Amino acid sequence: MNVIMAPELARSRRLLTGYFAGLGVVMAVWGARMPAVQHAAEVSTGGLALVLLAAALGMVAGLQAGGRLSHPARLPALLTSGAIALAACLAVLGVCRSLESLLVAAFVFGVAHGVLDVAANAAAVRCQEAHGRPIMGRLHASYSLGALTGAALAAATAHTAHTVLFTGVAVSAAAAVGATAALTRTLASSGLEPVRNPAAHGLGEREGLSRPRFWLLGVLAAATLLGEGAAADWASVHLHDLGASAATSAAAYGLYSAAMAAGRLAGDQLTVRFGAPAIVRTGAVLAALGLATGLAGSTIAFALLGWTAFGLGLSVTIPSLITAAGAGGPRAVATVAVTGYVGLLAGPALIGALATVTALPHALLLPALLAAVVATLAPKALEKTTP
């Protein structure tokens, strides 16, 4: 393996931090101003659901395509093209005025998101292995911080037309990608590629990732992301049902997100000290107990503490699962991500269905139970995980 100078590694890490943060900003701006998109295009709630479904289907297609294309030599091109396409689609979504145009733009937006997601995570795995120590948590924390920044930007420009906001963010993102394109191209030749068996190129075929373990990683990713989807869509509703004000209800997801970002920032050092299996197991136990306690407490204070503990507890799980999947190469990273996003996309709807036949607090016990499952199975899935 080539010897890489510390400045070159640091530059690669900063570059990837920017990609993760930018992705978080774009996704948060799109999600926060979705009601304005719906109003401008005069789309019903059912129509908006179709738009979100189109974006989800596009993302799955993008993840799969990105996994097939993510050879190390292609990663720079996938990063730049995926980021520019995502920015362009955001601008287009801002000017869509019909359901048909929204469906097409949302699908392409999802494809670009999926390709960029796989490329960024595949490059992050290589960068982490070149460092020889965990950095995945901080990279994923930059996504969380980017999402918080995007949400704050959307709130601050609430009285500005969403078209202006989308275009401004898109132009800024594309300009940033263009300004760092030369640096991005060096990722393919910087020696970040760890030593692997060149004959191993299929799913789970690389040393250290058996097929049963590979699928276990996917199942745990789905369980974890179901919880993240539940927090995004139901935390505020849960607080509202307890009688919280609109501001306090919104604070539930904000506290969850802040706790997740903080946990990811600290997660790398904790992983070095205690190992990924122990950290993920402990975090999952905290998530399960915290959310269950918050639901059982039936008070606003307990609920806020419960969602905060849930975010902190889940914070290190996805970075650790992606790191473990990296032993199988980009296709393994992509497939674990696709499996995980099934939980993210299906989870909120499943919880809503359960809430119709029982009560919302009872339905929200599902992510708490799944966090307990993660705590039980994580040591097996993450054994011998190294950066």
Side-chain angles (χ1 to χ4, degrees):
M1 181 168 58
N2 297 335
V3 176
I4 310 170
M5 300 303 292
E8 200 170 332
L9 274 177
R11 189 164 55 246
S12 297
R13 186 178 68 247
R14 288 194 298 269
L15 181 65
L16 290 173
T17 296
Y19 273 101
F20 276 98
L23 180 57
V25 170
V26 169
M27 297 311 298
V29 166
W30 158 242
R33 297 303 299 272
M34 203 174 296
V37 174
Q38 180 183 11
H39 177 74
E42 298 181 349
V43 174
S44 66
T45 301
L48 182 60
L50 289 176
V51 172
L52 296 177
L53 178 60
L57 292 175
M59 185 173 184
V60 171
L63 287 167
Q64 293 175 331
R68 288 191 293 268
L69 295 172
S70 288
H71 184 277
R74 299 192 191 105
L75 286 178
L78 290 176
L79 284 168
T80 54
S81 61
I84 291 175
L86 189 73
C89 287
L90 180 67
V92 171
L93 285 166
V95 298
C96 288
R97 296 296 183 267
S98 69
L99 176 60
E100 294 76 14
S101 61
L102 276 175
L103 288 172
V104 174
F107 181 82
V108 181
F109 182 80
V111 172
H113 182 190
V115 170
L116 181 57
D117 190 286
V118 171
N121 277 295
V125 168
R126 297 175 65 235
C127 189
Q128 177 173 258
E129 295 196 6
H131 273 76
R133 68 178 190 276
I135 62 169
M136 189 69 74
R138 289 179 215 173
L139 292 175
H140 279 243
S142 67
Y143 175 89
S144 299
L145 293 173
L148 287 173
T149 301
L153 180 62
T157 58
H159 298 295
T160 302
H162 72 283
T163 300
V164 175
L165 175 62
F166 284 13
T167 302
V169 171
V171 170
S172 299
V177 172
T180 58
L183 290 177
T184 303
R185 284 194 293 271
T186 66
L187 287 175
S189 58
S190 62
L192 294 182
E193 178 71 0
V195 176
R196 299 289 191 190
N197 176 4
H201 52 78
L203 291 178
E205 292 178 8
R206 295 189 177 189
E207 183 179 356
L209 188 61
S210 65
R211 188 165 291 271
R213 186 177 171 213
F214 164 76
W215 288 112
L216 179 58
L217 290 171
V219 169
L220 295 182
T224 302
L225 289 178
L226 185 149
E228 294 194 19
D233 288 4
W234 292 105
S236 296
V237 177
H238 175 222
L239 267 292
H240 180 267
D241 288 351
L242 292 176
S245 66
T248 302
S249 298
Y253 184 65
L255 288 171
Y256 163 89
S257 299
M260 177 163 281
R264 286 176 170 174
L265 287 171
D268 291 332
Q269 291 300 320
L270 292 173
T271 299
V272 169
R273 183 170 182 180
F274 300 105
I279 292 301
V280 172
R281 179 180 57 203
T282 302
V285 169
L286 173 63
L289 293 179
L291 182 56
T293 301
L295 295 171
S298 298
T299 66
I300 294 173
F302 267 97
L304 289 173
L305 287 173
W307 287 111
T308 301
F310 191 62
L312 182 62
L314 290 184
S315 61
V316 295
T317 304
I318 291 298
S320 298
L321 294 175
I322 293 296
T323 295
R331 284 191 64 196
V333 170
T335 306
V336 168
V338 169
T339 308
Y341 277 111
V342 169
L344 181 69
L345 298 172
L350 178 58
I351 289 171
L354 290 174
T356 62
V357 297
T358 177
L360 180 58
H362 296 158
L364 288 172
L365 285 173
L366 176 60
L369 291 173
L370 289 176
V373 171
V374 171
T376 302
L377 299 179
K380 179 64 175 177
L382 298 173
E383 61 183 357
K384 300 179 181 178
T385 295
T386 56

